[in-house]
Amino acid sequence: MSPKKHPSADNTYETERLILRPMSRDDKDFIFELYNRPKFIQHIGNRNVNSIEDAENYILTRFAPQIERLGFGNYLLVTKEGNEKVGAVGIFEREGLDIVDIGYSLLEEFEGKGYAFEAAQKVKSIVMDEFGLTKISAIISKDNISSQKLIEKLGLRFKKHVILPGETEELNYYETE
């Protein structure tokens, strides 16, 4: 018997300008595009999403199981005005981190509009208010200054440098106070 899906797994949320809905296999084209942008690879890393099929498998094996088990995970960001897919924000269990980690990425053409902060603020409040998490963390490459500023604005503080299992890059590690 398969484990029961978490009751919050299908929840969709709204902010002033965005709809946040759980990432699904229908978002495979978007994930393929986002994960292959040079900026994504530079700041987040190459996730070996080399085809639409890879993107679908990534969603089904990485995103879906966590959201079904915990009720929260990776959300697609869609603008209310124009219904455009602009990016993703999520809270992730990550090997090598004791505290769940917030992550986000936008298509470059939608950066600088405050969408990432608006969505990250919403996801942070969801996991803390609805799911009772007391802390979240973030890991950011040392050269990604704009992301570091966003995380600090979100209320997380730099704690130390970390290297995740299987990786070589030393990252900045942030945590809620």
Side-chain angles (χ1 to χ4, degrees), residues 92-160:
F92 305 97
E93 287 185 316
R94 203 175 297 277
E95 189 183 351
L97 297 181
D98 296 331
I99 297 171
V100 291
D101 156 63
I102 189 165
Y104 43 84
S105 52
L106 294 180
L107 297 173
E108 289 95 328
E109 55 268 37
F110 297 103
E111 289 179 352
K113 301 177 189 302
Y115 289 142
F117 180 73
E118 187 175 319
Q121 199 171 31
K122 181 66 176 181
V123 168
K124 178 186 174 198
S125 74
I126 291 165
V127 297
M128 294 186 130
D129 300 341
E130 293 184 27
F131 292 92
L133 272 62
T134 55
K135 285 191 169 197
I136 61 169
S137 70
I139 44 173
I140 303 171
S141 58
K142 291 179 179 180
D143 63 346
N144 193 347
I145 305 302
S146 63
S147 200
Q148 293 169 24
K149 288 179 179 169
L150 187 155
I151 280 299
E152 290 174 355
K153 187 176 169 188
L154 204 59
L156 283 76
R157 298 290 166 253
F158 174 78
K159 298 288 184 186
K160 60 186 176 183

Side-chain angles (χ1 to χ4, degrees), residues 26-93:
D26 298 337
D27 302 315
K28 59 187 183 253
D29 293 339
F30 179 77
I31 287 295
F32 176 72
E33 181 182 359
L34 180 66
Y35 280 36
N36 283 290
R37 290 285 180 104
K39 210 167 177 180
F40 184 96
I41 292 168
Q42 176 192 351
H43 290 305
I44 297 174
N46 185 346
R47 297 295 185 245
N48 297 309
V49 175
N50 301 315
S51 67
I52 299 295
E53 187 182 6
D54 287 348
E56 184 175 13
N57 286 335
Y58 200 89
I59 292 165
L60 295 177
T61 61
R62 302 287 294 271
F63 299 153
Q66 180 188 310
I67 207 159
E68 288 180 10
R69 189 167 39 85
L70 300 179
F72 58 84
N74 199 19
Y75 297 91
L76 178 73
L77 308 180
V78 182
T79 58
K80 287 181 178 178
E81 190 177 317
N83 197 36
E84 293 181 284
K85 295 179 179 183
V86 299
V89 66
I91 301 277
F92 305 97
E93 287 185 316

